[in-house]
Amino acid sequence: SQYWCMADTTRSKKKLKGGEDTYFISKNGKVSGVFDGVGGWARYGIDPREYSYKLSQGCKEAADEKEMTDPLEILTFAYNEAKGITGSTTACLVSIQGDQLKAANLGDSGFLIVRGTELLFNTKEQQFRFDFPYQLGSRDINKPSDAEQLTFTLEPLDIIVLATDGVLDNLFISDIQHIVSSHYSHTPQNIAKLICQEAYKESVDNESYVPYREKALNLHIPVDNGGKKDDITTLVIKYGFGEGEGEGEAEQKKG
């Protein structure tokens, strides 16, 4: 495998969960993704996780059984497989083939790349308006082709962090970069856990000032003080030079 990937998820305890997170890692470890089911479906008696889980498993099938490597093709396959399931989800997929990272990101999940102490890249969220992200689902609000497609050339020991909005709404990009850079020699599993733990700590702190609150204030939208309680999922990849030298793991915290 070109990398070792590890994910960590924490579930929110709120009654109407703000989305249900899922993730997948292909058998060969080269394709992975995170998904955040849109929590509003719970109001209609629909499990928000059902669609995001179906999409994640469709992506895994595309990578493992169909041997697809292009993130958009994988997402499109999974989207078609999920027809008939009610719900919707954001999606962030990355595929590493050789030293090339290809990504497809739709909605307000996302990823960032850290090289040593340098932040190389971070995605920008896709939203129709505040708290209304681009999403794939039964209402056909978006298509897979609406995803932002990206390609990067990786170097040995680059670290890639995929995260749902439970992380990105509670930790500034600079916070995530600091965690990664200051634990650069750690395993992906440990880095993923640290990011999730910090995001969870901020989410339940009634005094914390988080990205979600900053965005709301900038738009003059009233929100509660403190962090944003939500599902939290982080998937961390440490890219290796050559076969067998990369490492990655995913962590899920469920509260």
Side-chain angles (χ1 to χ4, degrees):
S1 166
Q2 283 285 342
Y3 64 67
W4 174 19
C5 173
M6 188 66 200
D8 183 52
T9 299
T10 302
R11 292 273 179 241
S12 163
K13 293 178 181 175
K14 58 187 179 177
K15 292 178 182 174
L16 275 184
K17 293 191 177 87
E20 291 279 2
D21 291 0
T22 58
Y23 71 90
F24 82 96
I25 302 168
S26 65
K27 280 190 296 190
N28 65 11
K30 295 182 179 183
V31 186
S32 55
V34 296
F35 309 82
D36 179 11
V38 175
W41 289 101
R43 298 187 192 103
Y44 308 102
I46 293 161
D47 180 357
R49 189 173 187 268
E50 187 176 1
Y51 188 89
S52 63
Y53 180 75
K54 178 70 174 177
L55 201 73
S56 72
Q57 292 309 294
C59 287
K60 185 167 172 59
E61 179 187 348
D64 288 346
E65 298 175 27
K66 308 296 182 184
E67 297 184 346
M68 295 180 183
T69 60
D70 181 78
L72 185 59
E73 288 181 11
I74 291 169
L75 193 58
T76 301
F77 174 85
Y79 177 70
N80 290 328
E81 288 287 296
K83 296 282 188 190
I85 305 289
T86 302
S88 57
T89 186
T90 65
C92 179
L93 276 71
V94 300
S95 174
I96 298 177
Q97 308 299 324
D99 65 354
Q100 295 298 299
L101 180 149
K102 289 188 173 183
N105 184 55
L106 187 138
D108 57 5
S109 295
F111 73 96
L112 56 125
I113 304 173
V114 177
R115 181 172 295 163
T117 58
E118 180 187 359
L119 176 69
L120 288 188
F121 174 80
N122 64 280
T123 49
K124 306 299 183 205
E125 62 188 8
Q126 295 175 308
Q127 290 191 328
F128 293 104
R129 59 178 183 270
F130 183 71
D131 247 0
F132 184 14
Y134 282 24
Q135 54 197 264
L136 296 175
S138 52
R139 286 183 177 165
D140 290 329
I141 294 173
N142 290 107
K143 303 292 187 190
S145 57
D146 293 325
E148 182 179 16
Q149 297 181 70
L150 301 148
T151 304
F152 294 92
T153 299
L154 297 173
E155 293 186 3
L157 303 183
D158 282 353
I159 292 178
I160 303 101
V161 178
L162 283 73
T164 57
D165 69 335
V167 176
L168 300 174
D169 280 341
N170 286 299
L171 294 179
F172 290 95
I173 294 297
S174 57
D175 297 329
I176 301 172
Q177 179 194 351
H178 177 73
I179 293 169
V180 173
S181 295
S182 57
H183 298 86
Y184 206 69
S185 63
H186 289 218
T187 65
Q189 180 178 23
N190 191 40
I191 295 170
K193 281 185 174 178
L194 288 167
I195 292 170
C196 274
Q197 286 169 0
E198 192 64 25
Y200 180 74
K201 187 175 82 173
E202 292 294 313
S203 76
V204 297
D205 184 346
N206 292 330
E207 302 299 322
S208 62
Y209 183 77
V210 299
Y212 181 80
R213 179 160 171 74
E214 181 175 82
K215 284 178 277 191
L217 289 172
N218 287 340
L219 294 167
H220 307 290
I221 295 171
V223 295
D224 293 337
N225 290 334
K228 180 174 180 264
K229 296 179 177 65
D230 201 350
D231 288 358
I232 293 167
T233 300
T234 307
L235 194 151
V236 172
I237 301 159
K238 183 178 278 191
Y239 175 71
F241 185 71
E243 290 296 313
E245 292 184 27
E247 308 182 292
E249 296 198 18
E251 272 294 329
Q252 279 208 315
K253 278 185 162 290
K254 308 193 178 181

